């Protein structure tokens, strides 16, 4: 399995502010996919955003955007205008092309304060 | 609505009992997966299937077994539950290329006493 590292176990942010979650990964592959998943307390894990390694342009989904640095093997997630509903555990995940298996980081717990 | 369903949501059971965790999806996905997640911890792949009658062990060794007799159904069985099996078990599925990652179920939180 690939190694995915999330170095921030917990993050706290004020409502309407911005928070950035870090993720690094280790791979010798050139073609792969990166994902951020959100797991709210006692609820279903859902996909937040995805990035294809061959695309240089950073992915954006509404208030969520990534900073993908392929050479540095870094894939950070920025949550803008944080909302109370963003409170959740966030997982970074890696998948090699044609492998279909996701490798996850340890997760970062994000708490949005009112 | 297409989705993936896991039952039971919570299960407390005694040591030595046989248990089956159910997972079904209505999306027609070929690929299905089981992950084990301890509290506040990363997910570890324990089983996966790329189609009917195809099952493989994942990266984390597990005493559980799985079967895939129908496309939509991917149950996980523990023949003799032990306290060390206490964990959350997440089922997921993906289409053929998994380019958009997985769809996850809500999970089964298993406690063996």
């Amino acid at each position: 399995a690939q190694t995915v590292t999330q170095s921030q176990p917990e993050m706290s942010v004020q409502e309407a502010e911005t928070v950035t979650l870090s993720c690094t990964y280790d791979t010798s592959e050139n073609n792969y996919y990166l994902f951020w998943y959100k797991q709210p307390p006692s609820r279903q894990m859902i996909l937040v955003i995805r990035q294809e390694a061959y695309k240089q342009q950073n992915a954006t989904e509404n208030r969520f955007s990534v900073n993908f640095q392929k050479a540095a093997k870094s894939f950070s997630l920025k949550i803008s205008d944080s909302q109370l509903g963003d409170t959740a555990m966030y997982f970074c995940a890696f998948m090699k092309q044609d492998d279909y298996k996701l490798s996850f980081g340890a997760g970062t717990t994000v708490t949005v304060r009112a | 609505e297409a989705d993936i369903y896991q039952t039971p949501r919570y299960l407390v059971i005694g040591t030595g009992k046989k248990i089956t965790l159910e997972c079904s999806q209505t999306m027609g996905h070929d690929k299905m997966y089981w992950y084990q997640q301890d509290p506040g911890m990363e997910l570890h792949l324990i089983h996966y299937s790329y189609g009917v009658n195809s099952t493989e062990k994942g990266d984390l060794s597990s005493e559980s077994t799985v079967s895939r007799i129908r496309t939509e159904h991917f149950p996980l069985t523990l023949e003799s539950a032990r306290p060390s099996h206490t964990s959350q078990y997440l089922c997921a599925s993906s289409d053929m290329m998994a380019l958009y990652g997985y769809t996850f179920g809500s999970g089964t939180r298993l406690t063996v006493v």
Side-chain angles (χ1 to χ4, degrees):
Chain A
Q2 308 297 313
T3 302
V4 180
T5 302
Q6 294 180 248
S7 59
Q8 306 149 313
E10 296 180 6
M11 299 281 284
S12 181
V13 60
Q14 193 72 32
E15 197 174 8
E17 297 295 311
T18 295
V19 63
T20 299
L21 284 58
S22 66
C23 173
T24 58
Y25 56 93
D26 183 27
T27 186
S28 57
E29 302 290 327
N30 190 48
N31 296 319
Y32 51 87
Y33 302 89
L34 295 161
F35 306 85
W36 278 99
Y37 278 88
K38 171 185 177 182
Q39 187 178 37
S42 300
R43 291 179 60 188
Q44 199 168 4
M45 186 174 297
I46 58 173
L47 178 65
V48 175
I49 199 166
R50 63 185 283 275
Q51 176 81 39
E52 295 146 324
Y54 62 85
K55 288 189 177 179
Q56 291 186 335
Q57 185 173 4
N58 290 322
T60 299
E61 288 287 343
N62 301 314
R63 298 181 294 106
F64 298 89
S65 61
V66 298
N67 183 4
F68 173 49
Q69 301 290 327
K70 191 172 184 179
K73 297 179 184 176
S74 171
F75 184 59
S76 62
L77 174 71
K78 184 170 78 172
I79 307 174
S80 303
D81 186 25
S82 297
Q83 300 176 359
L84 296 177
D86 294 334
T87 292
M89 196 158 188
Y90 288 79
F91 290 94
C92 179
F94 172 98
M95 184 178 72
K96 289 190 298 183
Q97 187 175 4
D98 299 328
D99 184 52
Y100 318 123
K101 298 192 291 291
L102 279 175
S103 296
F104 288 87
T108 297
T109 299
V110 173
T111 302
V112 180
R113 307 185 309 273
Chain B
E1 180 180 343
D3 209 339
I4 182 165
Y5 304 94
Q6 287 187 247
T7 57
R9 186 77 175 86
Y10 299 94
L11 178 62
V12 181
I13 201 162
T15 298
K17 299 292 186 182
K18 178 180 179 179
I19 59 171
T20 296
L21 308 185
E22 300 288 348
C23 176
S24 295
Q25 50 98 0
T26 59
M27 294 167 285
H29 284 168
D30 289 322
K31 294 178 170 59
M32 297 188 74
Y33 316 83
W34 277 103
Y35 281 81
Q36 184 173 338
Q37 182 184 27
D38 292 324
M41 302 286 285
E42 64 195 277
L43 287 77
H44 292 284
L45 180 67
I46 53 174
H47 298 284
Y48 61 98
S49 168
Y50 288 169
V52 171
N53 295 324
S54 159
T55 61
E56 301 287 344
K57 290 189 177 294
D59 303 316
L60 181 68
S61 177
S62 174
E63 294 170 342
S64 59
T65 59
V66 293
S67 62
R68 189 90 183 276
I69 298 172
R70 303 197 315 266
T71 298
E72 64 271 21
H73 194 214
F74 191 41
L76 181 146
T77 298
L78 277 166
E79 290 293 333
S80 180
R82 294 207 301 265
S84 61
H85 296 140
T86 295
S87 189
Q88 172 154 258
Y89 294 85
L90 293 176
C91 182
S93 70
S94 72
D95 62 18
M96 186 179 298
M97 299 304 294
L99 297 181
Y100 290 86
Y102 301 169
T103 301
F104 281 88
S106 297
T108 293
R109 188 167 296 281
L110 172 66
T111 302
V112 184
V113 297

